[in-house]
Amino acid sequence: MTVEIEADYRPSDDEPFMNDRQREYFRNKLLNWKDDILKESKETLANLQEESQNHPDFADRASSETDRSIELRARDRQRKLISKIDAALERIADGSYGYCEETGEPIALRRLEARPIATLSIEAQEAHERREKVYRDD
């Protein structure tokens, strides 16, 4: 089912949580984000292929290799981000999007607006980070 969303629409706490308009809004937001990442990846690949020329100077070659390594790490992070976006799109399709995977409570719209791939409410996320810190400090 496709719901028409006005360009200036923003989800609000005044409407039922994860109604059709909100789900379509977040679906579009996630798809646009994914498209931007994929477009950026294609540009990076083109730049990396262009940059693969031989550098006679060792310093230039080292600098080029460092740049290439940084770009590849960034691409790997973006690849992981795309899988999180895909998972969020699946949650929209199955109706579980917007709900904390630990508590089942709704995730605040402001949090979803800022981080549309969020799977935990702020409270659950903070508890998760506190547990991580305790284990890290041991």
Side-chain angles (χ1 to χ4, degrees):
M1 165 176 24
T2 305
V3 176
E4 193 65 34
I5 302 294
E6 308 85 43
D8 61 346
Y9 171 75
R10 289 284 177 268
S12 143
D13 291 328
D14 298 338
E15 56 188 322
F17 186 72
M18 280 304 126
N19 61 51
D20 290 344
R21 284 176 80 198
Q22 287 182 358
R23 281 194 306 274
E24 188 64 18
Y25 170 83
F26 285 111
R27 191 176 82 73
N28 288 335
K29 185 177 184 88
L30 288 160
L31 288 170
N32 289 334
W33 191 13
K34 182 178 176 179
D35 287 346
D36 289 346
I37 292 170
L38 291 172
K39 199 178 303 171
E40 199 176 304
S41 290
K42 286 178 186 168
E43 290 171 9
T44 298
L45 277 175
N47 289 341
L48 287 174
Q49 288 171 346
E50 206 173 280
E51 272 291 311
S52 67
Q53 66 217 19
N54 286 336
H55 296 287
D57 182 5
F58 286 122
D60 288 346
R61 188 175 312 151
S63 176
S64 179
E65 287 301 316
T66 300
D67 292 347
R68 184 181 191 86
S69 175
I70 290 168
E71 282 293 338
L72 291 173
R73 278 199 308 270
R75 291 300 143 237
D76 189 50
R77 280 193 304 274
Q78 289 183 328
R79 181 185 53 78
K80 291 174 184 170
L81 182 55
I82 285 175
S83 71
K84 289 180 180 182
I85 291 171
D86 287 341
L89 290 167
E90 287 175 27
R91 289 193 305 278
I92 287 173
D94 72 19
S96 63
Y97 181 81
Y99 294 91
C100 178
E101 63 184 20
E102 282 190 11
T103 66
E105 294 294 313
I107 298 172
L109 289 172
R110 286 179 49 217
R111 176 161 169 74
L112 289 172
E113 186 72 47
R115 184 134 180 97
I117 57 173
T119 60
L120 300 172
S121 66
I122 288 179
E123 297 79 13
Q125 181 70 42
E126 287 172 347
H128 177 73
E129 289 171 4
R130 279 193 301 275
R131 284 191 303 272
E132 270 188 357
K133 184 178 181 334
V134 167
Y135 291 124
R136 210 177 23 243
D137 290 346
D138 286 348

